């Protein structure tokens, strides 16, 4: 079977494409074949990572999202080889509601399983700071729309700690009521110094580089060293969440 990771969040600018890139890089580092798709009609950031060779699927018809164009996503899923391939699909904020509605009306999760025997998993990014409530609403919508699908939550600390009334996410009502639904929680490593690690990571993101590309670049030693350490932390966070072990088992 193949394994499909879809990133969903209705709030823009919270790190969806970055999470997609981390997932793809992690799968490749673990020895899997990884196919990538970008459906963001506004900012195809994921496709900007040239080393990941993401295909762009245009879901627009003029200025409007055309739900029929979503067929292309699931045709691509159906065409995946039955050999443990991983597919990472990054969806923009503009596609959050229409794609969710399309998947519900077309009973996509059941269709994928029955017609292809592939497995589907959803990922949602939540943040601290001003976007916290919006990202939590996005997660709540996913939980309601897809009651039978595993969901991985990614905590992005870039905008601030994910804390409400002095309580961490593990004490939030949404977590307590749905923790049995959440396959894993992945905490993206925080930036310990904005002038060093922060500037280096900005370089990675602005230039859409994988961490391997950054390490092989001609950038100064300390910049490459800091990003090597950061990637090791991100890699460990995904390891600790048992992301691929629970989903894939071992690569063939």
């Amino acid at each position: 079977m193949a394994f499909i990771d879809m990133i969903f969040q209705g709030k823009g600018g919270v790190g969806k494409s970055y999470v997609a890139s981390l997932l793809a890089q992690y799968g490749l580092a673990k020895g899997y074949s990884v196919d990538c798709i970008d459906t963001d009609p506004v900012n195809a950031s994921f496709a900007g990572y040239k080393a990941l060779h993401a295909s762009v699927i245009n879901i627009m018809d003029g200025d409007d999202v055309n739900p029929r164009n979503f067929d292309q996503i699931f045709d691509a899923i159906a065409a995946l080889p039955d050999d443990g391939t991983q597919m990472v699909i990054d969806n923009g904020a503009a596609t959050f509601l229409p794609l969710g509605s399309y998947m519900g009306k077309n009973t996509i999760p059941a269709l994928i399983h029955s017609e292809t025997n592939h497995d589907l998993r959803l990922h949602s990014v939540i943040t601290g700071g001003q976007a916290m409530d919006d990202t939590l609403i996005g997660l709540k919508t996913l939980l309601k729309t897809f009651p039978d699908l595993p969901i991985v939550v990614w905590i992005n600390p870039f905008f601030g700690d994910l804390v409400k009334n002095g309580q961490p996410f593990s004490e939030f009502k949404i977590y307590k009521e749905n923790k049995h639904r959440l396959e894993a929680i992945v905490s993206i490593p925080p930036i310990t110094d904005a002038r060093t690690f922060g500037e280096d990571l900005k370089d990675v993101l602005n230039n859409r580089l994988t961490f391997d590309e950054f390490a092989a670049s001609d950038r100064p030693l300390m910049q490459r060293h800091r990003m090597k350490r950061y990637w090791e932390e991100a890699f460990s966070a995904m390891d600790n969440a048992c992301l691929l072990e629970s989903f894939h088992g071992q690569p063939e």
Side-chain angles (χ1 to χ4, degrees), residues 26 29 64 79 86 104 113 169 171 175 202 231:
Y26 183 62
D64 298 320
Q86 179 185 13
H113 186 73
F169 180 62
E171 296 299 320
Y175 175 78
K202 187 184 298 183
W231 170 238

Side-chain angles (χ1 to χ4, degrees), residues 4 22 31-32 34 46 65 119 158 170 179 212 225 245 252:
I4 300 95
L22 289 177
Y32 295 100
V34 181
F46 189 35
V65 173
D119 276 350
F158 181 80
S170 58
K179 59 182 178 181
D212 281 349
H225 174 64
E245 285 76 4
E252 298 179 1

Side-chain angles (χ1 to χ4, degrees), residues 87-164:
M87 176 176 276
V88 179
I89 304 172
D90 183 30
N91 302 290
T95 64
F96 181 70
L97 291 177
L99 181 54
S101 175
Y102 167 97
M103 290 175 66
K105 290 177 181 177
N106 289 278
T107 61
I108 292 297
L111 178 67
I112 288 175
H113 186 73
S114 64
E115 293 295 322
T116 69
N117 200 36
H118 300 335
D119 276 350
L120 173 64
R121 177 172 62 180
L122 308 181
H123 298 255
S124 188
V125 185
I126 56 177
T127 74
Q130 293 183 346
M132 180 173 65
D133 289 341
D134 288 338
T135 57
L136 290 173
I137 289 171
L139 174 59
K140 183 178 180 180
T141 301
L142 275 190
L143 289 162
K144 181 178 180 181
T145 305
F146 302 104
D148 300 320
L149 284 179
I151 295 175
V152 176
V153 170
W154 294 71
I155 298 176
N156 185 355
F158 181 80
F159 302 99
D161 294 332
L162 189 66
V163 175
K164 181 181 290 187

